[in-house]
Amino acid sequence: MTEPTSSPPADALWRDAEGRPFFRHRPKLVGAEITFTLEPDALAWSDGKVEGRMPLHQVGTVRILYRPANLYNRRFRVEIGQRLGKSVWFANLTYRGLMEVEANDTAFAAFVRMLLPAIARAAPKARFFGGEPPWRYGLVALFNLVLVVAGLAVVVEAVRSLTWALAGATLAVAGYMGWQMATWLIRNRPVAIDPDAPPPQLLP
């Protein structure tokens, strides 16, 4: 499995020339890098061509998720929804090339810990969530339960027919997938979170 490269240890809370906290990432292999800046009363973003700004007092929901992507397991994402319907998101991983992904873990966590309390102060009615919405979490859990039952059925049948290679291969694949999904289910359990103390399982 390919592992993302890490940022220098000196990375903590990034600040621009004006002293404002910011975070940047390139969410896709093809596309521009997006910079998010925490202003006194808004979250602003820019990719060099398109700019946007969400006043903090208009934020309705914030959600932190564990969201693996392709071969990269340690990917975390923050989604911020405006009461009027607009939403933005950013993640700790940034694409640098076809096979190179950089993990800005420390800067991401520091920015989130600065951003969430600022939103809570400006928008007292904003709701803060951790993990997936209950309906999606339930569907994923049910789907994986079905896969586990199907895998066990294959193993039992392979053992009964003395097809040891099939039984071993099925157990290996099922074990790996089970470990991956157990991690997803544990980290993404739907919870309400304290903006002053985001759960550690949802930060890198």
Side-chain angles (χ1 to χ4, degrees):
M1 178 175 294
T2 306
E3 291 294 333
T5 59
S6 298
S7 300
D11 283 348
L13 181 63
W14 294 342
R15 294 185 182 272
D16 62 16
E18 300 177 28
R20 300 175 303 181
F22 76 92
F23 182 77
R24 59 172 176 260
H25 79 137
R26 186 182 180 191
K28 300 178 181 179
L29 180 61
V30 179
E33 186 173 70
I34 304 173
T35 299
F36 292 85
T37 302
L38 178 57
E39 299 177 347
D41 62 347
L43 177 66
W45 61 89
S46 172
D47 65 2
K49 295 181 180 179
V50 178
E51 297 182 351
R53 191 172 182 274
M54 184 183 295
L56 296 182
H57 72 272
Q58 293 183 4
V59 173
T61 59
V62 178
R63 186 179 295 277
I64 309 178
L65 304 135
Y66 170 65
R67 185 64 65 83
N70 299 327
L71 297 177
Y72 305 103
N73 283 332
R74 287 186 53 80
R75 181 172 180 263
F76 299 85
R77 169 169 165 154
V78 174
E79 300 175 350
I80 303 167
Q82 193 176 23
R83 289 198 302 269
L84 300 179
K86 182 187 297 183
S87 63
V88 295
W89 67 271
F90 58 90
N92 62 313
L93 298 186
T94 185
Y95 286 86
R96 295 300 183 195
L98 185 60
M99 295 299 294
E100 183 181 1
V101 173
E102 182 181 15
N104 294 309
D105 292 349
T106 308
F108 175 85
F111 187 72
V112 171
R113 290 191 175 101
M114 179 71 70
L115 175 63
L116 268 57
I119 292 174
R121 289 192 298 269
K125 293 184 179 181
R127 296 176 297 167
F128 296 82
F129 301 107
E132 295 283 355
W135 66 269
R136 185 182 298 164
Y137 185 88
L139 284 177
V140 173
L142 178 61
F143 176 74
N144 281 276
L145 178 61
V146 171
L147 286 182
V148 169
V149 172
L152 289 175
V154 171
V155 171
V156 170
E157 186 61 31
V159 171
R160 291 173 64 178
S161 62
L162 302 181
T163 312
W164 303 114
L166 176 60
T170 302
L171 279 175
V173 172
Y176 176 76
M177 292 182 63
W179 171 73
Q180 295 276 47
M181 289 314 305
T183 301
W184 189 95
L185 290 169
I186 291 171
R187 289 185 181 272
N188 276 327
R189 183 171 60 88
V191 292
I193 65 174
D194 180 354
D196 292 314
Q201 70 270 19
L202 291 174
L203 291 176

